[in-house]
Amino acid sequence: MNLQKLFELQRQLDAHIEKEHPRQDGEDRLAKKILALMVELGELANEARFFKYWSHDQAPRTKIEYICPTCNGTGDENYDSYIDDLEGGYTHEVINCEDCGGTGTLGYKNPLLEEFADALHFILSIGLELEITAIEIDSDYTHEDPSATFVELFGDTWELFNFREIHDKQSKFIQISIYERMFNRFVGIGEKHLGFTWEQIEAAYMEKNTENHRRQDSNY
């Protein structure tokens, strides 16, 4: 697990975002990052589905078809002119979409892993904001019940919000302890409850990191 590599990649992304979206006077960006993390954790749990006791469908969302946006899943690059051709009495010429080769799909994606990578981005960014990047990995922060682990992770996040401002060495020590516990609990959820290997996590992070840079370059 090469955490320093991920922290450095996140540092570069954060700098890119800061350039495109400078902080405003009086803005508490750390609070926004913590809230964003809470949102991503909720989305992660929603894709995991294990807590949905009211539903027979509690299987995690790990494979969905990625519809080609160029042809809207039709495989026809001229699909948008189809209705106009019909109304005009013309014969519609099908042209295979170059992006998907006429299949209508770009393959499959893993929503659960993608949400985990999204949350990891914010956890790393929060660590950089707090100047905490030396993390001791410990797997003793998970329960047998994933719901309990998730609830405690939300608790860690809330507790970190309360300690986002540091006034003395003791409060800084507490802040570091909370962040390290939160980080380890999150990693434990990925590995123990969701079944991800660290190689999968790192690959998903790298892919989303590249996409996030691309978004900044496209005036996202």
Side-chain angles (χ1 to χ4, degrees), residues 45-70:
N46 194 52
E47 296 293 352
R49 299 185 65 83
F50 54 79
F51 67 96
K52 299 191 177 189
Y53 62 89
W54 59 88
S55 173
H56 291 296
D57 180 12
Q58 296 183 25
R61 297 294 187 257
T62 58
K63 185 179 180 180
I64 63 171
E65 192 174 26
Y66 183 34
I67 300 300
C68 176
T70 304

Side-chain angles (χ1 to χ4, degrees), residues 100-220:
C100 66
T103 65
T105 179
L106 296 178
Y108 295 88
K109 60 182 179 178
N110 185 335
L112 186 65
L113 184 55
E114 287 185 4
E115 294 297 348
F116 192 87
D118 285 343
L120 179 56
H121 272 79
F122 285 111
I123 288 181
L124 292 169
S125 186
I126 289 168
L128 291 169
E129 190 91 14
L130 299 175
E131 298 182 346
I132 305 172
T133 59
I135 305 299
E136 297 245 350
I137 299 302
D138 187 339
S139 61
D140 291 337
Y141 289 98
T142 57
H143 298 277
E144 289 302 317
D145 178 9
S147 296
T149 307
F150 257 93
V151 170
E152 290 194 346
L153 180 56
F154 273 102
D156 295 334
T157 310
W158 165 247
E159 196 174 353
L160 188 66
F161 173 79
N162 287 331
F163 274 90
R164 70 190 190 283
E165 295 182 3
I166 297 302
H167 305 289
D168 53 40
K169 290 183 178 180
Q170 179 64 21
S171 55
K172 182 62 179 180
F173 174 79
I174 295 174
Q175 183 189 70
I176 293 172
S177 298
I178 296 170
Y179 179 78
E180 188 169 80
R181 184 176 69 233
M182 179 184 74
F183 195 103
N184 276 287
R185 206 183 310 272
F186 176 74
V187 171
I189 284 175
E191 294 182 335
K192 179 177 179 178
H193 295 311
L194 305 181
F196 300 142
T197 66
W198 185 252
E199 288 73 23
Q200 287 178 302
I201 293 170
E202 186 171 306
Y205 174 86
M206 301 273 287
E207 182 177 350
K208 191 55 181 287
N209 187 274
T210 299
E211 180 183 338
N212 286 338
H213 276 289
R214 186 166 54 249
R215 286 177 171 180
Q216 294 304 310
D217 288 332
S218 60
N219 197 31
Y220 180 70

Side-chain angles (χ1 to χ4, degrees), residues 2-114:
N2 191 344
L3 288 182
Q4 294 312 306
K5 173 185 176 182
L6 297 188
F7 272 118
E8 181 53 36
L9 289 172
Q10 187 64 44
R11 190 190 309 278
Q12 295 171 18
L13 177 60
D14 285 357
H16 195 172
I17 293 173
E18 293 277 353
K19 179 182 177 182
E20 299 297 328
H21 305 278
R23 300 188 187 211
Q24 305 300 308
D25 291 340
E27 178 185 359
D28 189 348
R29 186 156 292 191
L30 178 58
K32 292 180 178 180
K33 290 181 180 182
I34 292 174
L35 176 57
L37 173 59
M38 288 181 169
V39 171
E40 293 297 343
L41 291 176
E43 292 179 358
L44 175 64
N46 194 52
E47 296 293 352
R49 299 185 65 83
F50 54 79
F51 67 96
K52 299 191 177 189
Y53 62 89
W54 59 88
S55 173
H56 291 296
D57 180 12
Q58 296 183 25
R61 297 294 187 257
T62 58
K63 185 179 180 180
I64 63 171
E65 192 174 26
Y66 183 34
I67 300 300
C68 176
T70 304
C71 66
N72 198 31
T74 64
D76 180 3
E77 195 149 333
N78 289 338
Y79 82 96
D80 54 349
S81 65
Y82 178 67
I83 294 178
D84 292 339
D85 288 344
L86 285 180
E87 292 178 347
Y90 303 111
T91 300
H92 179 73
E93 181 183 1
V94 176
I95 298 178
N96 281 348
C97 175
E98 292 185 1
D99 289 342
C100 66
T103 65
T105 179
L106 296 178
Y108 295 88
K109 60 182 179 178
N110 185 335
L112 186 65
L113 184 55
E114 287 185 4

